[in-house]
Amino acid sequence: MKILVLNCGSSSVKYKLFNMDTHEVLAQGGVEKLGLPGSFLKFTQPDGKKVILDKELPEHNAAIEFILSVLTDEKYGCIKSYNEIDAVGHRVVHGGEAFSGSVEITPEVIGKMVECIDLAPLHNPPNLKGIRAMSALIPGIRQVGVFDTAFHQTMPDYAYMYGLPYSLYKKYSIRRYGFHGTSHRYVSKRACDILGVPYEEQRIITAHVGNGGSIAAVKNGKSIDTSMGLTPVEGLLMGTRCGDVDAGALTFIMDKEKLDAKGLSDLINKQSGVQGLSGISSDMREIEAAVAEGDKRAILALNIYNYRIKKYIGAYAAAMGGCDILVWTGGVGENQWATRRAVCENMEFMGMKIDVEKNDGMRGEEMVISTPDSKVTIIVVPTDEEYMIASDTMDILGK
């Protein structure tokens, strides 16, 4: 069974084509600068060589059609015709309260996704464009929506409700939803598979940290809390997002800087976080380089970044009555060993001991990095959201 996974953003379309019979990735790549001058398709060939094809791609239909043409191309392709694609799995950012799991796309499902646009105005519209483009290009193709928010729909009400008037929840569905759910679900389950322990009996904290980042508390196979909220702004310090901040500080800034809602959104989403604090970059590799040179603002930004992660780990251990497994994933979690060490140091009081020799220098591997006598198993698990989407698609369409 061949499944195409699409992740459609406002200016990009990422894809992976899987042969689920052999668990093989047949093709992967993405269109960048979609709708802008200089758009191009970049993909990786089976031998690891990267190819860039320049082409003006004004919108999602054209981008997906170009991707399909490359997949069937004599020189670069891996299939002979579109008909070899059995189904398409789509990453969808926000499912609101309507979706607690992945679902096959139907007109009714599309209607519910449209209703969620207010909750994710930047993300859900391009996700919908990808679904409609596939319907137009391969009429009758079966499609599945896999929602970033679905895994966290098991949170109890006392974890997802804000201290705002209840009427606002009833009118606008304002509550904590959480994101990165597909990643948190994959790595928490994968960690248990690696360790040979029952998923439904573990207290797991998953740290998906990178340019965007969130922490989740997964108890007995279910998400019971997560750091992101109504939007992906809440929680950890991120590349350009501020994370947790006093709402009163925001109204104060709006007044002083004469900002409207759009201006405030731009401030907290695009001008804050590591980039706003350091004045250098949102890329943690550049921050680490600046820290090595003694840049004080870079040091401050990195300390805040690491401290927020440590604080949430402690909070979620308290929420679950302890922690059995801490999973690191995401761009920073998988590769930035200095952050893993800084966060896990001095956590012996809760039974967490990191093996510095195993941790330091280790990047992008599945590896236990705790000491043998650590009561909490610390493990790095590279995430694979695309495989999770393909797996969900196969499972749903096989029912």
Side-chain angles (χ1 to χ4, degrees):
M1 190 174 190
K2 294 185 177 72
I3 294 176
L4 178 65
V5 173
L6 290 179
N7 180 355
C8 296
S10 57
S11 60
S12 66
V13 178
K14 298 176 184 176
Y15 70 92
K16 265 191 183 183
L17 180 64
F18 290 88
N19 181 340
M20 295 304 288
D21 297 328
T22 60
H23 303 285
E24 181 185 3
V25 177
L26 300 176
Q28 62 181 317
V31 169
E32 297 182 32
K33 300 184 75 174
L34 176 61
L36 301 169
S39 55
F40 60 91
L41 171 63
K42 182 178 181 179
F43 59 93
T44 305
Q45 293 185 292
D47 62 2
K49 182 182 177 183
K50 296 191 184 301
V51 178
I52 296 176
L53 302 178
D54 295 314
K55 186 176 177 66
E56 292 304 314
L57 299 166
E59 40 73 41
H60 289 77
N61 253 61
I64 294 172
E65 186 171 18
F66 187 44
I67 289 168
L68 292 175
S69 73
V70 171
L71 289 175
T72 54
D73 183 76
E74 283 191 16
K75 182 177 180 181
Y76 297 117
C78 56
I79 56 175
K80 293 182 179 179
S81 77
Y82 296 177
N83 294 331
E84 289 187 44
I85 300 172
D86 296 292
V88 184
H90 295 267
R91 180 200 180 203
V92 184
V93 168
H94 218 306
E97 292 183 312
F99 303 104
S100 58
S102 303
V103 294
E104 184 168 3
I105 301 296
T106 64
E108 292 75 22
V109 167
I110 288 175
K112 290 288 186 183
M113 289 171 61
V114 170
E115 290 175 15
C116 293
I117 284 176
D118 279 351
L119 297 173
L122 299 179
H123 298 93
N124 273 30
N127 299 160
L128 283 161
K129 287 177 182 177
I131 292 167
R132 289 168 176 148
M134 285 306 309
S135 295
L137 292 166
I138 310 180
I141 188 82
R142 297 181 75 184
Q143 303 186 73
V144 167
V146 181
F147 300 86
D148 273 12
T149 52
F151 182 57
H152 302 303
Q153 281 295 299
T154 52
M155 286 189 290
D157 54 6
Y158 57 80
Y160 69 67
M161 287 296 294
Y162 290 118
L164 296 168
Y166 193 79
S167 59
L168 294 175
Y169 166 65
K170 297 301 290 182
K171 284 173 71 175
Y172 306 116
S173 300
I174 294 175
R175 50 158 284 185
R176 181 186 310 283
Y177 289 100
F179 299 88
H180 297 137
T182 306
S183 176
H184 288 296
R185 178 161 58 103
Y186 173 79
V187 299
S188 58
K189 182 68 168 64
R190 178 61 186 155
C192 292
D193 291 343
I194 294 167
L195 299 173
V197 296
Y199 185 48
E200 294 77 13
E201 298 175 14
Q202 307 301 311
R203 298 164 298 180
I204 307 169
I205 297 172
T206 47
H208 177 116
V209 289
N211 199 275
S214 63
I215 309 284
V218 182
K219 188 174 184 180
N220 303 332
K222 295 181 178 180
S223 173
I224 65 161
D225 207 346
T226 189
S227 58
M228 283 180 168
L230 174 76
T231 75
V233 176
E234 190 179 2
L236 304 177
L237 190 74
M238 296 171 243
T240 60
R241 298 182 191 127
C242 61
D244 292 338
V245 64
D246 179 3
L250 300 181
T251 57
F252 180 87
I253 292 167
M254 288 182 78
D255 181 56
K256 293 294 184 183
E257 296 289 321
K258 302 295 185 288
L259 296 177
D260 58 10
K262 186 178 183 301
L264 181 66
S265 177
D266 189 66
L267 174 73
I268 63 177
N269 278 289
K270 299 178 180 178
Q271 300 176 33
S272 299
V274 170
Q275 180 172 290
L277 283 166
S278 70
I280 296 169
S281 173
S282 62
D283 190 319
M284 293 303 291
R285 292 166 294 191
E286 293 184 34
I287 297 301
E288 277 199 315
V291 167
E293 294 175 1
D295 187 285
K296 290 183 178 179
R297 282 175 57 184
I299 293 169
L300 173 64
L302 184 59
N303 285 342
I304 296 170
Y305 186 91
N306 293 343
Y307 175 74
R308 289 272 183 94
I309 300 169
K310 183 189 284 278
K311 187 165 69 168
Y312 267 100
I313 289 170
Y316 287 165
M320 293 191 293
C323 176
D324 301 306
I325 304 169
L326 169 63
V327 186
W328 287 97
T329 195
V332 170
E334 295 167 25
N335 298 295
Q336 194 161 305
W337 53 266
T339 282
R340 296 194 302 255
R341 185 175 65 182
V343 170
C344 293
E345 278 180 339
N346 302 317
M347 298 283 267
E348 290 84 2
F349 72 93
M350 60 174 281
M352 185 181 294
K353 294 183 181 179
I354 189 167
D355 187 322
V356 174
E357 288 188 9
K358 284 185 178 179
N359 173 70
D360 288 12
M362 197 282 286
R363 301 178 188 272
E365 297 180 41
E366 291 183 341
M367 183 182 288
V368 174
I369 56 170
S370 49
T371 61
D373 63 336
S374 178
K375 293 180 180 178
V376 178
T377 301
I378 311 169
I379 185 170
V380 178
V381 180
T383 193
D384 196 341
E385 294 169 277
E386 293 85 2
Y387 179 78
M388 200 82 224
I389 293 169
S391 180
D392 277 10
T393 301
M394 186 176 70
D395 289 346
I396 287 169
L397 299 185
K399 289 179 181 176

